[in-house]
Amino acid sequence: MQQRVNVLIVDDSIDDAGLLWQTLSKEGYEVVYQVVDTPEAMRAALEHQEWDLITSELYMPNFSASEALELAKEVRPNVPYIIVSDDIALSLVVSLMKAGANDYIQKCVLARLVPVVQRVLRESEARCDRKRMDAAFRSSEMRYRRLFETAKDGILILDADTGGIVDVNPFLMDMLGYSYDDFIGKKLWEIGMFLDITASKDAFHELQEKGYVRFEDLPLKKHDGQILNVEYVCNVYLVEGEKVIQCNIRDITARKKAEAQIIILDAFLEKHAAKLETANSDLEAFNYTVSHDLLSPLTIINGYCQRIKKVCSTKLDEQSLEYISVIQAEAQRMKELVDTLLELSCLTKCKLNPVPVDLSELVKSVTDELILTNPQRHVTFTIAEKVMVTGDQKLFHIALENLLGNAWKYTDKTAEAVIEFGCSDCEGSPVYFVRDNGAGFDMAQADKLFTAFSRLKGSETYEGMGIGLATVKRIIDRHGGKVWAESEVGTGATFFFTLEHLGGAALNAQQNGEHKKPAKHHLNRNDQLFRKGCRQTIKTT
């Protein structure tokens, strides 16, 4: 492949310029050239084009080689300059060479031109490479210096052989209160900042041997005598073949204060956590005892009401019998509240029995039970397959009973009811959900959802004690997870939950490529229900 070379020929002879072009072309150069013979033409050529080489005649009617060289050094000082002339004026040639010309060739021996051109082009390329390397080095040095001087850690640069300090950044001077002159040229143990000089010398020798030293908590003495705790890290590395030591010094005063405060806080929390645990246990025991003791009088009240109805029904008027029925109903309602309190107490006290659990199978079991309560309802269930978790199976069953029961209850007035159980991925963690297209609720009331005995506005027409979602929250809390809901009035609700602390479950079907499009089919164990006229549709995904 031909090497392209751009040559500016300063000569008043077009024929001589042609010979020069032929000489270079024969040796494989692709020559692009321009001939000029006046200062104006040469300046214009230099300013408007890049040149690899300039050749010049010694004498011209309107121009001289001295003027041409001066102009070349002014506009293009890095372009090689060769004198090519028939004239032999050694004193002038010598002065031009001293002024910066690269070589001199007589036109009668143009054979010398090619090796000279090759040499000066190589030298020019080498100079350009050195300049690029110098520029890169200066740029690197500037970036390093900027980082060095603006770093928010103290930095010392040491001679690896002697331990003498060769540089220090402003942050360390401000940190310790020493001046630049206090550091430069001195060894680490000569400044006065180390409390133990012998240990400092030993650490330096260890650094020389191992190339690395680190102190997590080292006391340093500031210029004013105050003691400062720092993290101290030193490394040995090579710079242009020579070993250099860099020491990074970080003030850890704030961190130590924070650690001390954490220790105090931990002790405080540990002390009061025991008290709180005792208080909670006492409260739960009291709740259980009171709830249990209330059942006895309620049973007696209910029994006497039944007895009065049986013995005195002919002696009492209709209104009296209605009063007794109201008393009996309220006693029964209170019994249900007490039973609920006992259940909540048991949820808190019972020991977890973590085992692998197939939530999909639990959901199918709960939906079977719901279908049996009202086989005439038309509800489509969509259930994700093989959603596996780790946890207490009994408690999961209770949680799903409440979530699916809620969905069943609040879709009662929906013509084409749909209830879905599934699992999705959120930032690499599984999130489980129960979704319905029922009545929904106002998200402004969402903070009351999981509060015991709290019922949202608009739910008065539906049966319930207001305890189901509180039960779900306690179960999910005990499994280290979270539960929340999203909804819009009239469009349904979605209840989400996670099970983080016990590991949750992988989305087995999706991860193994088994998760296909929802396929509508009737589960075998529901065949009897459908034969009895049940209109529910169950999908699995």
Side-chain angles (χ1 to χ4, degrees), residues 235-291:
N235 291 278
V236 179
Y237 59 95
L238 291 175
V239 177
E240 296 182 352
E242 295 184 4
K243 287 185 178 181
V244 174
I245 294 174
Q246 178 171 317
C247 299
N248 289 68
I249 303 169
R250 177 172 295 176
D251 184 356
I252 60 170
T253 303
R255 189 175 79 191
K256 286 182 67 67
K257 286 182 180 178
E259 289 172 352
Q261 290 175 344
I262 289 172
I263 292 172
I264 295 171
L265 182 59
D266 283 345
F268 175 83
L269 290 176
E270 185 176 351
K271 177 181 177 181
H272 287 78
K275 291 182 179 180
L276 182 60
E277 186 175 351
T278 301
N280 283 336
S281 297
D282 292 344
L283 183 60
E284 289 173 6
F286 175 77
N287 177 47
Y288 182 84
T289 302
V290 170
S291 300

Side-chain angles (χ1 to χ4, degrees), residues 434-449:
V434 173
R435 179 179 291 125
D436 67 72
N437 63 341
F441 61 86
D442 186 352
M443 285 296 289
Q445 305 179 68
D447 57 330
K448 301 177 183 178
L449 271 177

Side-chain angles (χ1 to χ4, degrees), residues 47-59:
E47 290 178 347
H48 293 94
Q49 188 172 340
E50 296 289 335
W51 300 99
D52 301 311
L53 182 66
I54 301 172
T55 68
S56 174
E57 174 63 74
L58 274 177
Y59 299 106

Side-chain angles (χ1 to χ4, degrees), residues 13 19 29 37 56 61 70 82 93 155 187 191 216 231 284 294 298 301 304 308 339 356 379 408 483 499 533:
S13 172
L19 287 173
Y29 285 101
D37 61 356
S56 174
E70 185 176 349
I82 301 174
V93 169
I155 302 175
K187 296 179 174 61
I191 302 169
E216 296 284 349
E231 179 184 64
E284 289 173 6
L294 283 174
L298 288 174
I301 292 171
Y304 272 109
I308 291 171
D339 288 339
V379 179
W408 177 269
V483 59
L499 303 167

Side-chain angles (χ1 to χ4, degrees), residues 24 30 57 66 82 111 240 253 255 310 341 422 444 469 479 513:
L24 292 175
E30 180 187 349
E57 174 63 74
S66 300
I82 301 174
E240 296 182 352
T253 303
R255 189 175 79 191
K310 184 175 181 180
L341 287 172
L469 293 178
H479 285 80

Side-chain angles (χ1 to χ4, degrees), residues 360-486:
S360 302
E361 289 301 312
L362 283 184
V363 170
K364 292 171 188 176
S365 174
V366 173
T367 57
D368 285 351
E369 296 164 6
L370 291 172
I371 289 169
L372 285 172
T373 63
N374 188 356
Q376 301 307 313
R377 280 193 62 187
H378 188 192
V379 179
T380 298
F381 288 95
T382 302
I383 304 170
E385 286 283 11
K386 297 199 179 296
V387 177
M388 300 298 298
V389 298
T390 299
D392 191 297
Q393 181 160 338
K394 182 180 177 182
L395 293 183
F396 281 151
H397 193 277
I398 294 171
L400 289 170
E401 277 184 331
N402 282 287
L403 289 174
L404 292 164
N406 247 25
W408 177 269
K409 178 168 60 177
Y410 287 102
T411 56
D412 184 47
K413 299 174 183 177
T414 305
E416 296 293 332
V418 176
I419 298 174
E420 179 185 0
F421 167 75
C423 182
S424 59
D425 182 87
C426 180
E427 297 181 356
S429 299
V431 177
Y432 313 95
F433 63 87
V434 173
R435 179 179 291 125
D436 67 72
N437 63 341
F441 61 86
D442 186 352
M443 285 296 289
Q445 305 179 68
D447 57 330
K448 301 177 183 178
L449 271 177
F450 302 101
T451 304
F453 305 109
S454 176
R455 305 204 67 194
L456 303 189
K457 184 178 179 181
S459 62
E460 300 86 357
T461 57
Y462 296 92
E463 293 183 359
M465 306 284 295
I467 201 68
L469 293 178
T471 300
V472 170
K473 187 177 188 307
R474 288 205 179 191
I475 291 171
I476 299 304
D477 285 347
R478 292 211 61 193
H479 285 80
K482 296 179 181 179
V483 59
W484 69 96
E486 294 177 1

